[in-house]
Amino acid sequence: MPTRKNRRIDRAELRTRLRPSATFSREVIAEIQRAADTGIYDIRGFGAKRRVPCFDDLLFLGASMSRYPLEGYREKCGTGVTLGTRYASKPLELKIPVTIAGMSFGALSGPAKEALGRGATLAGTSTTTGDGGMTPEEREHSELLVYQLLPSRYGMNPDDLRRADAIEIVVGQGAKPGGGGMLLGQKISARVAGMRDLPEGIDQRSACRHPDWTGPDDLKIKIRELREITNWEKPIYIKIGAARTFYDTTLAVKAGADVVVLDGMQGGTAATQDVFIEHVGIPTLPALRQAVEALQEMDMHRKVQLVVSGGIRSGADVAKALAMGADAVSIGVAALIALGDNAPAFEDEYNALGSSAGYYDDWHEGRDPVGISTQDDDLAARFDPELGGRRLANYLNVLTLETQTLARANGKSHVHNLEPEDLVALTIEAAAMAGVPLAGTGWIPGRGTF
Amino acid sequence: MTQVFDLAANSTRELNQTLQRANGGSAIEQWRVVNPNGAHNLAVGLDAPSRVEIEGHVGYYCAGMNKYAHIVVHGNAGPGLAENMMSGLVRVTGSASQYAGATAHGGLLVIEGDASSRCGISMKGVDIVVQGAVGHMSAFMAQSGRLVVCGDAGEALGDSLYEARLYVRGNVAGLGADCVEKSMKDKHKREVEQLLAEAGISGVDGAEFRRFGSARELYNFKVDNAHAY
Ligand SMILES: Cc1cc2nc3c(=O)[nH]c(=O)nc-3n(C[C@H](O)[C@H](O)[C@H](O)COP(=O)(O)O)c2cc1C
């Protein structure tokens, strides 16, 4: 028998003996090594990867002695949403309370943008342009298209404004409230460069502030200008990253928004510094509560519609967001996954990029083997927009069915009838943030006396 | 025949609806707009080669997103004059406030007086001729097009500039990140003189201008440039 000293330790034993540091975890060590190697911060796509209090920390109570359920399959449970009822003469009528968030052509390939339009249209909802302008493909394949007005104003023009079904003024994004877009040289193809009026191949950093207004008083005038140009027809949304949400929502309403789009810190991005993604902004859960409180305080809840995004994955998330007071939700990363992003079938190619299916987040590099987050024609050609659209529609249908299931379980004949009283929280944090009682108690931390 | 539109008797909404009715039509309409009184959003979203003369001062975003129209303001203009203009001509006989010509894609913007800060911010192809001076951070992140300043330029001219070309005759208080002076060749002198002629400004010699453009050092992330980001 070998002595303790000279015996080789096998791997299994090693794992039981080595003690990882909580402070210097393996990810932290790897990041220090990466920083020392390269001298530049980590840029990546996807949303925050840390765990934050979220909709998983809430539960529905369901029906019981004091509440009537609805029959699961037969009894009607409405899912329609109207966005933009405040000033616009042509509000958007959506069949489902889930929309597709703004993702730029540039970050995504032309076929991927087309697929988002196809999927949204099949499911009866809207999709959104992004930093970089409107492509003819996405307009053609999107029954309802929201046109973003961003600080960069890439490709902005009055014809596309008039072609749009709604206009979304982007003030911020949950992944990087206060940060501008980023599109690295690998993805600035001739077409992207042309649409943005920039040289090919440069690392492009979009402005983080709007060029022609600075505060809510200016914005109010800006919104009127947009309405004047589009004949007061189109709903005007204001998109904010979750930060000082109560005040930001209040100011958005005062500036004249028809719809407030609120994006929590978990929200996805195509390319942002990791430090920004993980450390700026507040999670969707508390932000949503604050936005609803702001709307209620102004007597504008349901008059100015609220669309919430940032980490929406399932019908449970949708239903909980609606119960907390959102009118609809919006999805980014989940929609890309539905299209085929991070598919296990591409494991070998992900490995070749130093990643793995389920982990791939280097969307900024433009080498996406699935052909979604790329501007490389050969890679983009791998992606079938028709199939992608059908997959997205399937996923949207599942989200809707799940949302209806939960609504009926709580005895609601429309998903908008879900209410905070249907919810409880599993943790004290979530109870405080969402403003619903800790399960089994009447306690909402931060409200009333103990 | 010139028609008169009186803003003392009608609203901004009515003015824009009236002017936008020409959108897509072929006949050239001529309008005189009186009593603007500093109102915002006048003559926005035009999409036809109409001629519009506004007799007095205007507020924010006058001539915003203009296509084809020739719009002349006989007075001063508030912030965001001709923002995102696509084509046509916008002229103010007085001075313009902040962000004149912001993000504009085309056409010609002429400011006979001075322009305030951020003139030509993120410009994307427009030509801007300012007879007086421009304020700080003019041509910030300017992407393309030409800015001609007959007077002085304020601090941080052309900060984070892309491919726009800047010409200044007077003093430049300072250049922004990645903006450098470039040599003024004959073709640049001719370019300036042609723009001045288009703007109807005479008696100014193209040879008196200095040219500024991007050093293109910040086009790609480089660790060595970290101080500039
Ligand atoms: C690939 C990608 C590109 C994006 N591009 C934009 C954009 O151009 N403009 C914008 O406002 N938000 C952009 N976003 C953010 C989304 O609109 C949305 O706020 C976010 O994805 C929602 O969070 P979720 O991904 O967890 O659903 C982008 C997100 C992704 C994943």
Side-chain angles (χ1 to χ4, degrees):
Chain A
M1 214 178 130
T3 62
R4 205 175 194 302
K5 245 194 177 143
N6 61 18
R7 185 174 62 118
R8 277 182 68 93
I9 302 170
D10 68 25
R11 276 172 166 270
E13 193 179 347
L14 200 60
R15 274 199 294 275
T16 64
R17 283 209 202 170
L18 300 180
R19 183 171 177 197
S21 163
T23 307
F24 287 89
S25 65
R26 279 194 284 180
E27 288 85 6
V28 168
I29 291 173
E31 170 51 21
I32 293 172
Q33 290 161 341
R34 194 208 57 76
D37 283 343
T38 63
I40 187 145
Y41 41 55
D42 185 28
I43 297 171
R44 65 172 178 87
F46 227 85
K49 293 191 169 181
R50 63 156 78 219
R51 194 190 188 283
V52 293
C54 69
F55 292 120
D56 283 345
D57 302 321
L58 304 182
L59 291 174
F60 281 108
L61 287 170
S64 57
M65 293 286 278
S66 58
R67 294 279 189 288
Y68 256 54
L70 292 187
E71 195 66 60
Y73 299 106
R74 283 178 288 266
E75 282 182 286
K76 197 173 154 34
C77 177
T79 59
V81 191
T82 307
L83 298 179
T85 50
R86 188 183 184 191
Y87 293 119
S89 66
K90 294 185 178 167
L92 259 59
E93 303 281 352
L94 308 182
K95 294 203 179 79
I96 62 171
V98 186
T99 67
I100 305 300
M103 293 184 272
S104 68
F105 169 71
L108 303 185
S109 68
K113 286 297 286 175
E114 177 184 328
L116 292 173
R118 284 175 178 270
T121 301
L122 281 171
T125 189
S126 63
T127 184
T128 313
T129 65
D131 206 3
M134 184 189 287
T135 66
E137 297 99 299
E138 72 178 327
R139 179 60 280 191
E140 186 186 332
H141 293 286
S142 310
E143 177 112 6
L144 296 173
L145 182 59
V146 182
Y147 185 36
Q148 287 196 328
L149 182 108
L150 296 118
S152 71
R153 308 282 166 90
Y154 293 138
M156 172 50 56
N157 69 82
D159 301 324
D160 285 343
L161 267 182
R162 293 186 193 104
R163 264 194 280 274
D165 299 291
I167 299 161
E168 180 168 303
I169 301 174
V170 179
V171 175
Q173 222 180 295
K176 46 177 162 185
M182 209 183 241
L183 194 67
L184 301 191
Q186 301 94 310
K187 292 172 86 171
I188 309 274
S189 65
R191 184 174 179 205
V192 172
M195 278 179 72
R196 297 179 183 219
D197 186 36
L198 285 172
E200 256 179 82
I202 70 167
D203 291 334
Q204 173 265 294
R205 289 154 295 149
S206 307
C208 64
R209 296 184 299 265
H210 278 264
D212 58 355
W213 60 269
T214 41
D217 298 332
D218 294 359
L219 179 55
K220 186 173 185 169
I221 305 169
K222 182 77 203 167
I223 287 176
R224 286 187 159 248
E225 184 207 7
L226 296 170
R227 293 196 195 280
E228 285 292 321
I229 292 172
T230 54
N231 204 26
W232 289 72
E233 285 173 359
K234 327 237 178 237
I236 298 194
Y237 305 3
I238 296 180
K239 176 174 178 175
I240 52 175
R244 294 164 190 85
T245 312
F246 183 88
Y247 299 106
D248 292 344
T249 304
T250 305
L251 293 172
V253 171
K254 291 212 159 127
D258 293 303
V259 174
V260 174
V261 179
L262 171 65
D263 193 23
M265 74 155 291
Q266 305 100 300
T269 173
T272 302
Q273 299 91 330
D274 176 81
V275 70
F276 210 151
I277 299 177
E278 297 286 352
H279 297 279
V280 186
I282 65 169
T284 306
L285 199 64
L288 169 53
R289 191 204 84 239
Q290 289 187 314
V292 171
E293 283 173 1
L295 291 169
Q296 284 169 340
E297 195 173 290
M298 288 179 284
D299 192 24
M300 280 293 176
H301 190 219
R302 307 279 184 223
K303 296 176 188 161
V304 168
Q305 285 78 36
L306 178 63
V307 179
V308 169
S309 60
I312 303 286
R313 306 148 299 174
S314 64
D317 290 343
V318 179
K320 290 168 188 174
L322 299 183
M324 282 181 62
D327 294 273
V329 302
S330 191
I331 57 169
V333 170
L336 300 187
I337 294 171
L339 294 186
D341 174 74
N342 268 295
F346 288 81
E347 179 63 9
D348 289 347
E349 298 197 45
Y350 285 125
N351 291 165
L353 295 171
S355 189
S356 178
Y359 295 87
Y360 183 65
D361 60 12
D362 285 328
W363 293 339
H364 60 290
E365 290 183 345
R367 296 192 289 167
D368 183 355
V370 187
I372 294 173
S373 62
T374 185
Q375 292 303 320
D376 180 289
D377 287 339
D378 294 336
L379 289 174
R382 292 179 176 190
F383 179 78
D384 176 354
E386 233 184 289
L387 177 64
R390 275 205 304 280
R391 290 179 54 86
L392 176 59
N394 280 343
Y395 173 61
L396 288 169
N397 289 340
V398 170
L399 291 182
T400 308
L401 288 168
E402 287 179 343
T403 307
Q404 285 174 304
T405 300
L406 293 172
R408 287 197 190 96
N410 287 283
K412 308 298 200 252
S413 61
H414 194 287
V415 294
H416 281 164
N417 296 341
L418 285 164
E419 54 197 330
E421 287 68 23
D422 296 321
L423 293 169
V424 291
L426 286 168
T427 65
I428 294 172
E429 287 84 357
M433 291 186 191
V436 301
L438 187 66
T441 77
W443 183 37
I444 303 177
R447 283 208 201 145
T449 48
F450 283 80
Chain B
M1 200 196 72
T2 303
Q3 307 173 71
V4 177
F5 191 99
D6 187 354
L7 276 167
N10 302 281
S11 66
T12 301
R13 184 77 279 261
E14 287 162 323
L15 171 71
N16 286 322
Q17 271 178 324
T18 304
L19 296 179
Q20 288 169 5
R21 240 171 249 142
N23 287 1
S26 54
I28 293 180
E29 295 191 1
Q30 299 195 28
W31 288 94
R32 253 187 82 224
V33 180
V34 297
N35 296 312
N37 240 335
H40 306 313
N41 302 324
L42 299 182
V44 298
L46 301 201
D47 194 9
S50 309
R51 312 270 153 167
V52 181
E53 306 262 339
I54 303 177
E55 307 287 349
H57 306 310
V58 297
Y60 279 62
Y61 308 126
C62 180
M65 302 224 180
N66 183 49
K67 274 177 89 179
Y68 307 119
H70 285 201
I71 300 168
V72 181
V73 177
H74 296 275
N76 300 321
L81 170 71
E83 67 84 22
N84 213 81
M85 168 159 76
M86 306 302 293
S87 61
L89 170 85
V90 175
R91 174 189 292 279
V92 292
T93 62
S95 292
S97 185
Q98 302 179 85
Y99 2 98
T103 76
H105 289 69
L108 176 65
L109 170 61
V110 182
I111 296 159
E112 294 184 3
D114 300 321
S116 180
S117 56
R118 299 185 176 84
C119 177
I121 182 172
S122 291
M123 55 194 272
K124 296 168 171 47
V126 69
D127 290 324
I128 304 176
V129 179
V130 182
Q131 206 163 354
V134 296
H136 65 264
M137 290 219 111
S138 286
F140 175 56
M141 291 182 100
Q143 296 176 212
S144 66
R146 296 163 297 183
L147 171 65
V148 176
V149 182
C150 299
D152 301 337
E155 291 286 347
L157 175 71
D159 193 281
S160 306
L161 187 69
Y162 293 99
E163 294 295 301
R165 297 204 283 281
L166 317 180
Y167 297 99
V168 182
R169 189 168 68 143
N171 288 325
V172 175
L175 298 177
D178 214 27
C179 181
V180 291
E181 180 160 4
K182 300 190 169 185
S183 67
M184 191 76 189
K185 302 202 180 92
D186 238 21
K187 64 173 182 188
H188 300 123
K189 180 174 162 276
R190 283 198 301 277
E191 179 168 70
V192 170
E193 283 170 352
Q194 195 194 334
L195 285 166
L196 290 169
E198 279 174 36
I201 295 172
S202 55
V204 179
D205 184 356
E208 292 170 18
F209 286 77
R210 291 154 72 197
R211 180 168 74 104
F212 302 88
S214 178
R216 305 191 178 94
E217 287 291 322
L218 300 184
Y219 275 14
N220 291 93
F221 279 106
K222 278 191 218 121
V223 176
D224 299 341
N225 285 335
H227 62 277
Y229 295 126

